């Protein structure tokens, strides 16, 4: 039951909303009167299968996207059904919005070529019908504008999502500013006080002459304790100055944006409340992983997922790149990540999958 619910959550339902209009396109060929009606209904079934494959199997998109465009484009050229190609316009343009712009440019060239061929064929077959169809907004204007509208809408959604994530990070930075203030207060007050105690006890040790068999030992203990407390304060201040996950994600998000790579995160807000030592370790791993993505992966998207299961903290960094090798000579990035995780008695794994490269880290509360 849980696996079924998990499968339902993974389905990209927003992509299938457009299919609610598919029965209207099928109505053009119903009731069936000839073999051509059967043919185009079968083509519509093939389109539905390819549409699902484009959505659910990213690694096949180099084949399935052109195939879907050819299927829906054939509807525009021969039976002069310009509505079918708009399904591809909205779906594919939305997908390509997170990839380099040249892919969207290539898609537009192929899309408008097929659409133009359909318009030319419409005028050649029946000039009067072609003129009337061109005057219909949903007959021609909507298919022409669909890929541009879909691409612009998708980009605006992604920008709003990134802005929302940046706002949450800024809120965490404000809280971090309060922590910095506390760190300064600790250093300026307790640190100075403990230093003074140390100096006084050492001086008293030299001056006191009474009960020589006991006082010096007591004073040495006080001096030792005060030094330990001073060291503790310094360690607390140092820990407070460590980069949090929010700071690292804010900085790495800017680096990825400069490289034209989209970054998406899950459960980032919950992870910002994890223990400091866990955040420090995961932050260092993220920095190394993102550096490798920018330098070697040729990716256009990165997903960073945080999750807490029981007593364990999980991190996943997934890209959609095409790195040829996971390890390189004279490269210390993966080694550094592995060492940091092992210092925390955690587990580290890097692998290739159907999407790209996946980095996985697990740390325990102990």
């Amino acid at each position: 039951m849980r696996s079924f619910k998990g499968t339902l959550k993974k389905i990209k339902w927003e992509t299938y909303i457009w299919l609610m209009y598919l029965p209207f396109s099928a109505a053009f060929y119903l009731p069936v009167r000839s073999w051509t009606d059967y043919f185009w209904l079968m083509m519509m079934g093939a389109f539905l299968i390819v549409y699902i494959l484009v959505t659910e199997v990213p690694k096949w998109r180099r084949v399935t996207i052109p195939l879907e465009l050819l299927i829906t484009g054939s509807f525009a050229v021969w039976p002069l059904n310009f509505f079918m190609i708009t399904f591809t316009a909205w779906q594919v343009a939305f997908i390509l919005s997170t990839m380099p712009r040249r892919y969207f440019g290539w898609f537009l060239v192929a899309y408008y070529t097929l659409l133009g061929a359909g318009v030319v064929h419409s005028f050649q077959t029946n000039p009067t019908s072609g003129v009337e169809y061109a005057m219909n907004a949903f007959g021609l204007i909507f298919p022409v504008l669909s890929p541009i509208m879909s691409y612009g809408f998708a980009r605006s959604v992604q920008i709003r999502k990134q802005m929302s994530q940046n706002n949450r990070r800024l809120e965490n930075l404000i809280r971090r500013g309060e922590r910095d203030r506390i760190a300064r207060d600790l250093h300026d007050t307790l640190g100075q006080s403990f230093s003074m105690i140390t100096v006084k006890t050492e001086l008293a040790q030299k001056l006191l002459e009474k009960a020589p068999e006991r006082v010096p030992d007591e004073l040495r203990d006080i001096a030792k304790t005060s030094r330990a407390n001073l060291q503790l304060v310094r360690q607390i201040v140092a820990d407070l100055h460590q980069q949090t996950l929010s700071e690292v994600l804010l900085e790495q998000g800017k680096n990825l944006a400069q490289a034209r790579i989209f970054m998406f995160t899950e459960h980032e807000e919950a992870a910002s409340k994890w223990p400091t030592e866990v955040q420090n370790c995961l932050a260092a791993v993220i920095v190394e992983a993102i550096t490798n993505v920018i330098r070697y992966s040729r990716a256009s998207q990165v997903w960073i997922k945080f999750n807490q299961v029981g007593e364990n903290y999980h991190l996943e960094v997934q890209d959609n790149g095409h790195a040829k090798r996971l390890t390189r000579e004279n490269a210390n990035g993966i080694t550094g990540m592995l060492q940091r995780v092992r210092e925390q008695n955690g587990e580290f794994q890097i692998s290739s999958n159907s999407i790209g490269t996946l980095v996985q880290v697990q740390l325990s509360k102990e």
Side-chain angles (χ1 to χ4, degrees):
M1 186 65 179
R2 290 182 178 179
S3 60
F4 177 71
K5 290 182 178 179
T7 302
L8 290 179
K9 289 182 179 179
K10 292 181 180 179
I11 295 178
K12 301 174 182 177
W13 296 105
E14 66 276 6
T15 306
Y16 297 108
I17 292 177
W18 307 108
L19 294 181
M20 63 184 295
Y21 298 104
L22 190 60
F24 294 99
S25 293
F28 285 103
Y29 313 102
L30 296 174
V32 178
R33 296 184 180 87
S34 64
W35 68 269
T36 55
D37 291 335
Y38 281 112
F39 174 78
W40 291 113
L41 286 173
M42 287 191 298
M43 287 285 284
M44 200 168 290
F47 155 75
L48 184 60
I49 295 173
V50 176
Y51 188 97
I52 295 173
L53 291 176
V54 169
T55 302
E56 303 296 339
V57 190
K59 65 179 180 180
W60 291 356
R61 284 175 179 168
R62 292 186 177 182
V63 176
T64 53
I65 287 179
L67 180 58
E68 181 182 331
L69 185 58
L70 286 175
I71 293 174
T72 55
S74 65
F75 278 89
V77 175
W78 285 285
L80 306 180
N81 184 346
F82 292 101
F83 191 74
M84 281 296 296
I85 201 171
T86 59
F87 288 104
T88 302
W90 283 90
Q91 180 198 31
V92 175
F94 206 97
I95 292 172
L96 296 180
S97 65
T98 59
M99 298 182 181
R101 292 184 179 180
R102 64 178 181 274
Y103 295 128
F104 181 63
W106 296 340
F107 170 72
L108 284 182
V109 171
Y111 178 88
Y112 286 127
T113 298
L114 290 170
L115 194 62
V119 173
V120 171
H121 184 236
S122 174
F123 277 92
Q124 290 177 343
T125 304
N126 191 339
T128 303
S129 176
V131 172
E132 292 177 353
Y133 209 82
M135 295 299 294
N136 188 327
F138 284 96
L140 190 58
I141 296 178
F142 186 68
V144 168
L145 296 179
S146 287
I148 306 297
M149 293 168 60
S150 175
Y151 187 81
F153 175 73
R155 295 283 292 188
S156 65
V157 168
Q158 291 155 8
I159 290 173
R160 286 197 300 269
K161 185 175 181 179
Q162 289 186 342
M163 289 178 62
S164 177
Q165 291 176 342
N166 286 337
N167 288 336
R168 289 197 298 269
R169 291 168 191 157
L170 289 173
E171 290 176 358
N172 288 327
L173 287 176
I174 293 173
R175 290 195 291 268
R176 171 59 188 260
E178 181 66 14
R179 291 170 58 189
D180 288 341
R181 185 190 64 81
I182 296 172
R184 288 193 299 270
D185 290 344
L186 284 173
H187 184 270
D188 295 339
T189 57
L190 290 178
Q192 183 179 1
S193 176
F194 287 164
S195 296
M196 187 177 298
I197 291 173
T198 302
V199 172
K200 287 185 176 182
T201 52
E202 290 176 346
L203 179 60
Q205 181 181 351
K206 295 178 182 179
L207 298 178
L208 285 176
E209 297 179 355
K210 297 180 180 180
E213 70 282 0
R214 296 181 59 184
V215 174
D217 291 337
E218 295 294 332
L219 291 175
R220 278 194 293 269
D221 288 340
I222 294 173
K224 183 179 179 180
T225 302
S226 66
R227 291 193 189 98
N229 289 338
L230 179 60
Q231 184 62 33
L232 178 61
V233 171
R234 289 173 176 169
Q235 184 61 46
I236 292 174
V237 172
D239 290 341
L240 287 172
H241 282 294
Q242 292 278 354
Q243 274 194 316
T244 64
L245 283 175
S246 297
E247 290 174 313
V248 168
L249 291 172
L250 185 63
E251 180 180 349
Q252 296 305 316
K254 293 178 181 178
N255 294 337
L256 288 168
Q258 291 178 354
R260 295 185 178 181
I261 301 175
F262 284 92
M263 181 179 75
F264 305 95
T265 63
E266 291 186 14
H267 306 130
E268 176 186 335
E269 187 172 357
S272 66
K273 301 176 183 177
W274 288 355
T276 302
E277 61 274 10
V278 173
Q279 290 197 46
N280 292 343
C281 180
L282 296 183
V285 171
I286 290 173
V287 171
E288 293 289 351
I290 295 301
T291 299
N292 289 339
V293 169
I294 295 174
R295 289 181 179 176
Y296 309 114
S297 72
R298 296 179 294 168
S300 62
Q301 300 177 56
V302 176
W303 297 268
I304 302 177
K305 300 179 181 179
F306 303 95
N307 194 20
Q308 182 177 354
V309 180
E311 300 294 316
N312 297 319
Y313 301 98
H314 296 265
L315 166 69
E316 290 186 3
V317 181
Q318 172 77 65
D319 66 54
N320 66 340
H322 308 282
K324 296 181 180 179
R325 294 184 297 172
L326 296 179
T327 59
R328 294 173 179 78
E329 296 181 0
N330 302 322
N332 300 318
I334 295 178
T335 303
M337 287 189 284
L338 180 59
Q339 290 177 347
R340 289 179 182 275
V341 173
R342 285 181 174 175
E343 289 175 357
Q344 298 292 329
N345 297 320
E347 298 179 8
F348 175 85
Q349 183 179 359
I350 183 170
S351 60
S352 296
N353 54 27
S354 59
I355 302 175
T357 302
L358 174 63
V359 174
Q360 295 175 294
V361 175
Q362 176 179 307
L363 300 177
S364 62
K365 285 187 177 180
E366 300 297 331

